[in-house]
Amino acid sequence: MTATTARNRMLGHVITAEQFDRDLLDVLFRRATALDGVRDDRLAHRIMATLFYEPSTRTRLSFESAMLRLGGAVIGTEAARTFSSAIKGETLEDTVRMVSTYADLIVLRHDEAGAAARAASVASVPVVNAGDGPGEHPTQALLDLYTIERELGRVEGVRVAFCGDLRFGRTARSLALLLALYPGVRMTFVAPPVIQVGGDILARLEARGVECRLAEQLTDVLDDVDVVYQTRVQKERFTDPLEYEQARTAIRIDGAIMRQLPATAIVMHPLPRVDEIAPEVDADPRAAYFRQAANGVAIRMALLEMLLA
Ligand code: NCD
């Protein structure tokens, strides 16, 4: 499939990981590799709006960097909840209708699941979901999958242990859906029951014939993994502080865990981390999370090119 065919199939908006298939991913990853380090003006005169109702460092700045590296321009609000007309009571739909007339593409982060789909239903330009509450984070999943392919040289047949907050963590949900496209992938979801993965995701994975296991301790699965995908416990989504405290300390990766991890395995994390990965792990060559974050720029360049060029 060529980049043009791929672009025509993108449906305009990027809302869920389930929009992607293997062909589209292959094209996107080839373009990301080709665009890595590029600075030119192929998106000159194009404007990207970043509309962020929730905090972000990597996602917003890597989208902005990607757009600037391709010669495009960026407008946006990074605290849309307080600095946009949302504080005056404007609905998301009204804001998006307006911003559609100011920019050629909207990158939206919002605290409600389904917000990106709502925005897309009224937008006259492509909407990219940069995280919708506990829903999905498809572009993070793209860079995560790209990282697995680059680090391990393959995706087919990989064994992935998702750890941490699999109940509210949107990145693990989206990545699991993308991994389901690759034959032989085995997924283990490692979390205490209070933050274990939702039945909705398990049902979708099982419908695709993916082999899934649940576990409570990382040490029980460490000898049988290629990727440990650790996640932050999403404090902002808990209503019960006691429940959060119990969940927070459940799974931690430290030097002792790294000693048990196979030499060829990698540790990933969408970041930010709090204390679920000890700083002593950073120097280990198997700690892939900073390389993973860096991959976000090239992936988002490829995505912007596909949506806008
Ligand atoms: C994640 C997110 O916002 O969902 N961060 C990111 O985009 N890299 C993960 C998190 O906040 O824990």
Side-chain angles (χ1 to χ4, degrees):
M1 182 162 60
T2 65
T4 315
T5 328
R7 182 167 61 242
N8 293 342
R9 289 186 32 201
M10 282 291 295
L11 310 170
H13 307 288
V14 177
I15 306 300
T16 160
E18 288 187 298
Q19 281 172 258
F20 293 85
D21 61 22
R22 283 288 296 274
D23 286 346
L24 202 49
L25 293 170
D26 287 346
V27 174
L28 197 68
F29 292 176
R30 274 206 308 277
R31 289 305 300 152
T33 302
L35 288 169
D36 202 356
V38 162
R39 280 165 198 262
D40 65 18
D41 58 1
R42 73 189 65 198
L43 295 186
H45 313 299
R46 308 293 248 151
I47 300 172
M48 176 183 85
T50 52
L51 206 49
F52 276 59
Y53 291 81
E54 271 195 343
S56 167
T57 306
R58 274 150 293 271
T59 304
R60 188 172 60 82
L61 294 182
S62 65
F63 259 113
E64 295 191 358
S65 179
M67 189 64 178
L68 295 171
R69 284 169 195 233
L70 296 175
V74 177
I75 58 173
T77 174
E78 62 171 304
R81 182 73 54 215
T82 42
F83 289 159
S84 78
S85 293
I87 197 135
K88 303 180 187 168
E90 185 170 57
T91 63
L92 174 67
E93 281 82 353
D94 280 0
T95 304
V96 165
R97 267 190 201 100
M98 291 312 310
V99 178
S100 284
T101 66
Y102 305 151
D104 302 301
L105 176 128
I106 299 172
V107 181
L108 174 74
R109 170 167 289 188
H110 200 275
D111 50 320
E112 289 164 27
R118 271 168 51 209
S121 73
V122 295
S124 51
V125 298
V127 171
V128 178
N129 181 5
D132 60 335
E136 278 209 53
H137 194 345
T139 70
Q140 177 70 40
L142 293 173
L143 78 93
D144 292 343
L145 188 67
Y146 181 62
T147 300
I148 294 174
E149 193 181 86
R150 289 187 79 162
E151 295 278 333
L152 301 180
R154 67 184 202 291
V155 178
E156 288 189 9
V158 296
R159 298 163 297 172
V160 181
F162 288 99
C163 310
D165 191 344
L166 309 177
R167 174 180 170 201
F168 296 123
R170 54 199 174 196
T171 68
R173 294 166 58 82
S174 290
L175 179 58
L177 293 173
L178 280 192
L179 282 167
L181 296 171
Y182 293 77
V185 170
R186 284 187 280 155
M187 305 188 207
T188 308
F189 298 92
V190 189
V194 63
I195 46 171
Q196 188 48 280
V197 68
D200 61 329
I201 290 289
L202 284 178
R204 280 190 261 175
L205 296 175
E206 274 154 21
R208 291 182 183 177
V210 179
E211 199 184 306
C212 297
R213 286 187 299 173
L214 300 186
E216 282 200 40
Q217 297 298 331
L218 184 53
T219 41
D220 294 343
V221 304
L222 268 184
D223 57 348
D224 190 27
V225 292
D226 301 301
V227 177
V228 174
Y229 188 94
Q230 174 69 308
T231 59
R232 176 180 68 89
V233 177
Q234 310 278 297
K235 184 178 185 182
E236 63 275 30
R237 312 221 191 276
F238 282 80
T239 43
D240 178 353
L242 204 67
E243 207 173 59
Y244 166 69
E245 266 318 305
Q246 285 164 355
R248 189 179 70 83
T249 50
I251 294 163
R252 188 161 185 271
I253 299 177
D254 57 12
I257 293 281
M258 294 306 280
R259 282 190 284 283
Q260 287 183 58
L261 186 72
T264 53
I266 55 168
V267 177
M268 296 176 61
H269 191 303
L271 303 177
R273 72 164 148 194
V274 185
D275 52 8
E276 64 278 5
I277 299 181
E280 69 199 28
V281 176
D282 298 357
D284 191 302
R286 294 168 297 173
Y289 30 92
F290 294 118
R291 298 191 292 274
Q292 174 188 354
N295 286 336
V297 175
I299 279 291
R300 289 174 171 129
M301 287 169 86
L303 194 66
L304 291 173
E305 181 195 54
M306 224 178 240
L307 292 166
L308 288 173

